[in-house]
C-alpha cells in the first residue's frame, strides 16, 4: 500500500495539466513530514488529496499562499471540515456519456443516481448537448428549447453521435450527505470542489445550479448498497429503471464495489456506470477484452459491460465498443 506522501506526489503529477495550484500544493505537502503526519491522523477516507485541498480552500487558504505553514496554523479547522464533508464533485459534463449510453435504451426513463451530491447529473434532459467531431456538430436541446447550459463532448473516430435526449419521467438521487438546495454553505462547498484555474468548469457549475434551483431533483439520504433497493422500488413500473453511478464507486472499498456490481445488475432495467478501468474488477476485465487501453482510462459501462472509453469528466467519448451497446428493452 502506498504512503500518504506517495499518494500526494502521484496526485501532483495528475493534477498538473488541470491546476498548477493543486499540483504545487500537493507536492509541497508530500515533501513536508509535519503536514503528512497531521493528515495521517485522519481516517483513511478523509486523507484524500482533493478533500484536504478543498477543505483548506474552504477554510480560507488562498491560491498564492504556501500551504504547509498555513496548514500547520489552521489544521484544527481543516481537519474538522475533512471529517464532516466528502468529495462530492458534481460535474454536469458527465451527462454527455450518460446521454450516449441511453441512446439505445427504450424509455421512458426512471433515473436513479448513486452518489448524487447535489443532483446535477440527474438532469441530462435539462441541458443542451453538443457532440462534436472534426466533420460535424450534433446538437441536442431540451424539449422547451436551448438550455442556458451548453455541454460539449468530443467524439472519437467511430463513436456514434446520440440523436435524442432521454425522456425522463422520474428521477431521484441517493447520497450519504445530500447537499440541500438553499443552503449557502452547501453550495459554497460545491463551488470550492471545482479546482483552481478551472474557470470554465466553475461557470458550468453555476449554470447547472441555476437550472436545478428551478426544479430541484429529489435527493434521499442513504448508503450506496443499503439504500439502493428501497429507492429503486419507488420508481414507476411503466418506466425503464436506470441506476447511474458516475465516478462514485472508487470511494467504496473493493469488496463493497463488487457487492454493488451484483446488486445493480440484479435490479430490473439497466445499470450505467463511469469509473476508472481498475475500479471494478469485472468491468475492467470487460474493458480489457472490448476496449484495450491504459490502466488510467475511464470506462463507461452498461450492465457491467464496457461500452466506451471516456475522459474522467465526460467531455470526450474517445472509443466505442459496439459489443458493449445495450439491447433495446421495454419497461
Amino acid at each position: 500500500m502506498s504512503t500518504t506522501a506517495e499518494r500526494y506526489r502521484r496526485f501532483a503529477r495528475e493534477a498538473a495539466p488541470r491546476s498548477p495550484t493543486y499540483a504545487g500544493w500537493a507536492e509541497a505537502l508530500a515533501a513536508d513530514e509535519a503536514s503528512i503526519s497531521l493528515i495521517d491522523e485522519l481516517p483513511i477516507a478523509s486523507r484524500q488529496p482533493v478533500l484536504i485541498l478543498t477543505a483548506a480552500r474552504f477554510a480560507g487558504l488562498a491560491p498564492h499562499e504556501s500551504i504547509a505553514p498555513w496548514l500547520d496554523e489552521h489544521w484544527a479547522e481543516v481537519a474538522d471540515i475533512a471529517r464532516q464533508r466528502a468529495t462530492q464533485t458534481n460535474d454536469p459534463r458527465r451527462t454527455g456519456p450518460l446521454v450516449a449510453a441511453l441512446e439505445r435504451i427504450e424509455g421512458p426513463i426512471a433515473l436513479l443516481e448513486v452518489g448524487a451530491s447535489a443532483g446535477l447529473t440527474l438532469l441530462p434532459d435539462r441541458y443542451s448537448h453538443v457532440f462534436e467531431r472534426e466533420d460535424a456538430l450534433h446538437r441536442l436541446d431540451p424539449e422547451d428549447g436551448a438550455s442556458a447550459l451548453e455541454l460539449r463532448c468530443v467524439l472519437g473516430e467511430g463513436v456514434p453521435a446520440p440523436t435524442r435526449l432521454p425522456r425522463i419521467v422520474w428521477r431521484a438521487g441517493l447520497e450519504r450527505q445530500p447537499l440541500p438546495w438553499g443552503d449557502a454553505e452547501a453550495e459554497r462547498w460545491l463551488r470550492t470542489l471545482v479546482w483552481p484555474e478551472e474557470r470554465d468548469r466553475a461557470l458550468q457549475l453555476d449554470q447547472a445550479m441555476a437550472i436545478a434551483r428551478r426544479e430541484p431533483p429529489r435527493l434521499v439520504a442513504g448508503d450506496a448498497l443499503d439504500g439502493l433497493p428501497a429507492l429503486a422500488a419507488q420508481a414507476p413500473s411503466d418506466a425503464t429503471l436506470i441506476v447511474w453511478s458516475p465516478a462514485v464507486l472508487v470511494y467504496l472499498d473493493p469488496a463493497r464495489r463488487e457487492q454493488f456490481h451484483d446488486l445493480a445488475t440484479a435490479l430490473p432495467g439497466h445499470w450505467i456506470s463511469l469509473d476508472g478501468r481498475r475500479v471494478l474488477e469485472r468491468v475492467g476485465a470487460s474493458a480489457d477484452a472490448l476496449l484495450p487501453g491504459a490502466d488510467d482510462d475511464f470506462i463507461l459501462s452498461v450492465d457491467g459491460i464496457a461500452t466506451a472509453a471516456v475522459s474522467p469528466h465526460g467531455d470526450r467519448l474517445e472509443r466505442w465498443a459496439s459489443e458493449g451497446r445495450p439491447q433495446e428493452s421495454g419497461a
Side-chain angles (χ1 to χ4, degrees), residues 124-144:
D125 55 334
R126 300 291 191 263
Y127 309 141
S128 290
H129 295 264
V130 177
F131 295 91
E132 60 179 297
R133 60 172 95 251
E134 289 184 2
D135 58 340
L137 296 178
H138 304 268
R139 183 184 180 92
L140 303 176
D141 289 316
E143 288 184 356
D144 56 355

Side-chain angles (χ1 to χ4, degrees), residues 7-314:
R7 288 195 293 273
Y8 274 69
R9 288 193 186 94
R10 183 170 61 248
F11 175 80
R13 294 192 297 271
E14 295 168 352
R18 290 175 51 190
S19 174
T21 298
Y22 267 14
W25 281 348
E27 190 63 49
L29 291 178
D32 187 74
E33 292 184 6
S35 296
I36 294 299
S37 295
L38 291 173
I39 295 169
D40 278 338
E41 294 174 0
L42 294 170
I44 291 176
S46 300
R47 299 175 196 171
Q48 303 162 26
V50 170
L51 181 57
I52 293 298
L53 299 183
T54 303
R57 290 175 60 217
F58 197 71
L61 175 63
H64 65 274
E65 294 184 88
S66 297
I67 191 169
W70 186 96
L71 196 68
D72 181 64
E73 184 178 350
H74 298 86
W75 175 246
E77 184 179 1
V78 171
D80 188 52
I81 294 168
R83 287 189 181 98
Q84 292 185 28
R85 295 191 177 271
T87 303
Q88 294 172 294
T89 305
N90 213 197
D91 195 330
R93 293 177 296 178
R94 289 179 173 142
T95 58
L98 174 61
V99 168
L102 290 173
E103 172 78 3
R104 290 180 171 245
I105 295 177
E106 184 179 336
I109 299 297
L111 185 62
L112 191 168
E113 182 179 355
V114 176
S117 184
L120 298 182
T121 54
L122 277 165
L123 304 170
D125 55 334
R126 300 291 191 263
Y127 309 141
S128 290
H129 295 264
V130 177
F131 295 91
E132 60 179 297
R133 60 172 95 251
E134 289 184 2
D135 58 340
L137 296 178
H138 304 268
R139 183 184 180 92
L140 303 176
D141 289 316
E143 288 184 356
D144 56 355
S147 171
L149 174 56
E150 178 183 288
L151 299 169
R152 290 189 168 245
C153 181
V154 176
L155 303 178
E157 184 178 355
V159 177
T163 61
R164 60 180 173 85
L165 292 180
R167 184 162 75 91
I168 300 173
V169 296
W170 181 92
R171 72 190 86 212
L174 188 65
E175 169 62 50
R176 294 191 69 177
Q177 295 177 284
L179 295 176
W181 290 105
D183 184 313
E185 285 298 274
E187 293 189 10
R188 186 167 77 89
W189 176 249
L190 198 59
R191 288 190 179 92
T192 309
L193 283 162
V194 176
W195 296 12
E197 292 96 21
E198 294 193 323
R199 296 179 181 86
D200 288 346
R201 186 175 162 199
L203 177 60
Q204 288 178 339
L205 177 65
D206 280 341
Q207 290 169 330
M209 289 170 66
I211 292 168
R213 283 193 201 97
R214 294 196 293 270
E215 188 182 344
R218 179 187 174 210
L219 301 175
V220 176
D223 177 78
L225 287 170
D226 299 336
L228 181 55
L231 188 55
Q234 297 177 29
S237 59
D238 58 350
T240 302
L241 174 66
I242 299 296
V243 175
W244 164 229
S245 55
V248 67
L249 300 181
V250 69
Y251 298 108
L252 303 180
D253 66 56
R256 284 174 61 81
R257 295 174 199 170
E258 296 306 317
Q259 291 170 18
F260 184 90
H261 181 290
D262 293 340
L263 176 59
T265 51
L267 290 170
H270 296 283
W271 164 43
I272 299 174
S273 200
L274 195 160
D275 305 283
R277 181 182 289 266
R278 299 302 170 206
V279 169
L280 289 157
E281 183 177 346
R282 282 169 282 180
V283 171
S286 170
D288 290 344
L290 298 172
L291 290 161
D295 278 355
D296 57 359
D297 282 345
F298 263 64
I299 299 297
L300 179 72
S301 63
V302 179
D303 299 329
I305 304 300
T307 299
V310 304
S311 60
H313 291 276

Side-chain angles (χ1 to χ4, degrees), residues 305-326:
I305 304 300
T307 299
V310 304
S311 60
H313 291 276
D315 54 347
R316 297 191 311 279
L317 270 166
E318 295 164 348
R319 290 177 292 130
W320 191 271
S322 59
E323 296 91 339
R325 296 183 189 180

